[in-house]
Amino acid sequence: MDVEVLVAGAGPIGLTAAIELRRRGIGCRVIDPLTEPPQYAKAVGIQPRTLEVFENIGVLHAVLDAAIMMRGQIMFQNGSEVGRIELSLPADVPYGFAMLPQYETERILRERLAELGGTVERGVALAGFTQDADAVTATLSDGTSQRVQYLIGGDGAHSVVRKQLGLTFEGDAFAEGYMLGDVEVDWSLPSGYGIRISHTADDGSQDGILVAIPLPGRRRYRMSMLVPPELSAPDAGADGIAHGFAGGAAPELRHIQAVLDQLSPEPTTASNLRWSSVFRISHRIVDAYGRGRVFAAGDAAHIHPPTGAQGMNTGIQDAQNIAWKVALAVRGVAAPGLTDTYDAERRPVGEEVVGRTVRSAREGIGAGETSVETAMRRQAQLLISYADSPLISEADASATTVQPGERAPDARGLTRDMVAYPVRLFELFSGVNHTLLLYADGSPDEMEDLAEAATAAAHGLLDVYLLSPGPVESVLTVVVDAEGEFAKAYGIDGPSALVIRPDGYLGHRESPATVEGVVAHLKKTFA
């Protein structure tokens, strides 16, 4: 298979992009400068929305088997419990909050890429590139070059892609330095809860902080705390970006134990130090997520505090967004300017995440939210909207629930022929195409004509389902919504058409459904 796309970086972002390309039959090459996969628990939180992405790309079960559930957070001040948050979500959300070390997430994604015929070339870095109207020519660290149609940079906070594109990276760095340690402790605090401990001196200043995030294993946590004077956090690198891990002296078990002795609400002993590092935190975002045929994703485009586990999750969704668009462009069926919408859709998300995580780091998670449920849904990344995207239809004035640009919710209790048990709506979205959901509460004849026209407009890259409150005869695949969960979740009242994008967002809804409306929407994406 010809290489059409080069992916720089084999972390979660690059691997997700490569998986999405390979699922669509696009030849891609994945390179990474590291000779071995890193084995540290950098990003550890997987949000409910990302678990939905993982379901779609075929890694959900492996992730759930390896992860543990994040149940909430307990907060201590000067040794006394001062607050407790339960991470509960409404029943309409299929997945909870998961905790898994990044190296395990990467392992699962690499295995999925291998199933699809892809590999990671290690010890090969992107040295530079040029691009013209038709292609990108990348120069690699081994002295070779690779000519491709597109380049996706998931190459981290010190990204070569970002620098060579000439993107600005505006922001600042936190003054404090921190240290991380992956350890086990013997305290009696309940498992599955994040522990946030702070200490305030007599003069009111905060002189100690410890954040312990649970990991799979017995009483195992990734702990972060202020770096002691004897261990200096890294200064900004040659590119002026003070973000990430240091290559110098790593904290030892005694450094972590000293913080526990000072802050833990009960006597405890740390053991089994698997990995540690000192690090700095910056908050920055690029002025554009790409130019021409080259795109930045993940830390290459936005960096921010780890508060609330937003970074990796945001980057994974960056990767999914650009990958399905690039795939259509490579196949020659994309509408003009389709890949340009990556910046229009994802940069506002990055700006919101950077601002919110900085605020959360200073004021606490959920600061400024109107309700606990809203705060939980936002942390779960379920409230992202592309309503202002040029690919999205205008709001449906008759709709009382989900609008175009918002995440398409799941629905349970559906039935279909040849399946002896109820199915979920998300099972219909498991492919790589757009999905057209047609709802008919009477004769489906007009819906069949609409489906034919829509499929032609999408070059055949459209999965079509006819939903009905009861059994009907149709040449279309019929899914019965006898319990009304789909109609309730989407606010359906009469014959309707809904177009769901490959990334699980509602692109268009119309009631009553018309051929003209659905085809006009699809032409925003397809040539």
Side-chain angles (χ1 to χ4, degrees):
M1 181 180 289
D2 293 337
V3 176
E4 304 290 358
V5 182
L6 179 64
V7 178
I13 285 74
L15 291 169
T16 299
I19 289 168
E20 287 288 59
L21 291 166
R22 290 293 307 168
R23 291 176 70 215
R24 291 164 170 81
I26 305 300
C28 64
R29 182 180 180 186
V30 185
I31 60 172
D32 194 284
L34 299 179
T35 56
E36 295 291 337
Q39 294 297 306
Y40 47 72
K42 182 184 177 184
V44 298
I46 302 177
Q47 301 294 346
R49 175 61 191 141
T50 303
L51 291 176
E52 294 177 359
V53 174
F54 284 170
E55 178 181 13
N56 182 256
I57 68 176
V59 300
L60 175 67
H61 290 302
V63 169
L64 294 180
D65 287 348
I68 63 168
M69 184 174 180
M70 180 72 162
R71 302 183 180 279
Q73 184 180 68
I74 306 173
M75 291 147 288
F76 293 88
Q77 175 75 34
N78 288 19
S80 299
E81 182 175 333
V82 294
R84 187 176 294 224
I85 298 173
E86 301 293 335
L87 289 179
S88 59
L89 287 165
D92 65 287
V93 181
Y95 305 114
F97 298 85
M99 308 306 295
L100 187 67
Q102 182 173 324
Y103 62 81
E104 281 289 278
T105 301
E106 292 180 6
R107 173 189 62 80
I108 291 168
L109 292 172
R110 281 197 307 273
E111 291 174 356
R112 177 61 174 143
L113 180 60
E115 291 173 356
L116 296 167
T119 60
V120 176
E121 295 181 50
R122 295 208 164 272
V124 181
L126 178 68
F129 61 86
T130 59
Q131 64 172 314
D132 53 39
D134 300 316
V136 180
T137 301
T139 303
L140 307 181
S141 59
D142 60 7
T144 64
S145 63
Q146 176 76 61
R147 189 166 174 83
V148 291
Q149 289 196 39
Y150 294 94
L151 168 61
I152 298 175
D155 51 345
H158 305 282
S159 168
V160 172
V161 168
R162 182 186 68 243
K163 295 171 187 175
Q164 185 144 355
L165 275 180
L167 306 179
T168 63
F169 207 32
E170 297 300 324
D172 205 347
F174 279 60
E176 306 88 353
Y178 297 86
M179 64 178 180
L180 285 178
D182 180 347
V183 299
E184 295 173 9
V185 289
D186 58 359
W187 59 31
S188 63
L189 298 176
S191 61
Y193 284 80
I195 308 298
R196 182 181 179 87
I197 309 169
S198 61
H199 189 274
T200 303
D202 292 339
D203 62 2
S205 63
Q206 189 177 81
D207 58 0
I209 187 167
L210 168 66
V211 178
I213 303 298
L215 296 176
R218 187 175 297 277
R219 306 295 182 190
R220 180 186 173 194
Y221 295 83
R222 190 204 68 184
M223 295 190 172
S224 61
M225 57 211 80
L226 294 173
V227 68
E230 62 190 278
L231 296 174
S232 59
D235 294 326
D239 57 5
I241 308 300
H243 190 82
F245 303 141
E252 299 175 8
L253 196 58
R254 62 184 177 87
H255 295 112
I256 296 170
Q257 184 64 54
V259 176
L260 287 170
D261 291 343
Q262 176 198 5
L263 298 179
S264 177
E266 63 180 64
T268 190
T269 301
S271 62
N272 197 13
L273 177 63
R274 290 174 172 84
W275 163 81
S276 66
S277 180
V278 294
F279 69 105
R280 292 286 299 276
I281 297 172
S282 288
H283 48 96
R284 296 178 182 273
I285 190 165
V286 291
D287 58 326
Y289 270 35
R291 287 184 179 145
R293 294 175 171 268
V294 183
F295 310 95
D299 283 0
H302 48 82
I303 54 176
H304 36 78
T307 313
Q310 299 292 293
M312 179 186 73
N313 294 271
T314 301
I316 285 171
Q317 292 165 61
D318 290 344
Q320 185 188 42
N321 186 290
I322 186 56
W324 72 259
K325 295 171 180 177
V326 163
L328 291 179
V330 169
R331 297 181 70 165
V333 297
L338 177 63
T339 57
D340 294 338
T341 66
Y342 169 58
D343 177 79
E345 292 185 346
R346 293 304 298 174
R347 189 153 56 95
V349 174
E351 290 172 343
E352 189 276 331
V353 169
V354 170
R356 174 160 47 88
T357 53
V358 170
R359 185 169 61 253
S360 296
R362 291 170 174 163
E363 303 175 26
I365 294 175
E369 295 288 5
T370 57
S371 70
V372 173
E373 179 178 328
T374 300
M376 290 298 100
R377 285 184 180 268
R378 200 177 311 281
Q379 285 299 120
Q381 300 196 335
L382 300 170
L383 299 183
I384 292 168
S385 174
Y386 299 138
D388 295 330
S389 167
L391 298 183
I392 299 297
S393 295
E394 293 183 1
D396 182 350
S398 66
T400 58
T401 56
V402 59
Q403 286 283 6
E406 297 175 349
R407 162 188 168 268
D410 199 4
R412 304 173 179 87
L414 307 176
T415 59
R416 57 185 299 181
D417 286 347
M418 298 173 287
V419 180
Y421 48 82
V423 297
R424 295 166 51 225
L425 185 64
F426 275 7
E427 295 175 42
L428 309 184
F429 301 163
S430 60
V432 297
N433 297 328
H434 282 65
T435 303
L436 173 61
L437 303 178
L438 300 171
Y439 187 86
D441 52 8
S443 172
D445 294 348
E446 292 184 0
M447 293 299 189
E448 293 172 2
D449 295 337
L450 192 159
E452 183 178 3
T455 301
H459 298 265
L461 302 176
L462 185 71
D463 299 327
V464 182
Y465 298 94
L466 177 66
L467 287 98
S468 172
V472 295
E473 290 189 9
S474 175
V475 298
L476 302 175
T477 301
V478 176
V479 178
V480 176
D481 182 35
E483 297 180 12
E485 285 211 19
F486 168 76
K488 180 181 179 181
Y490 285 81
I492 301 296
D493 183 19
S496 304
L498 301 98
V499 179
I500 314 298
R501 305 182 348 163
D503 53 8
Y505 286 85
L506 179 62
H508 175 80
R509 68 177 297 162
E510 187 180 6
S511 180
T514 67
V515 171
E516 295 77 13
V518 172
V519 169
H521 167 71
L522 290 171
K523 285 184 176 180
K524 296 178 180 182
T525 296
F526 295 95

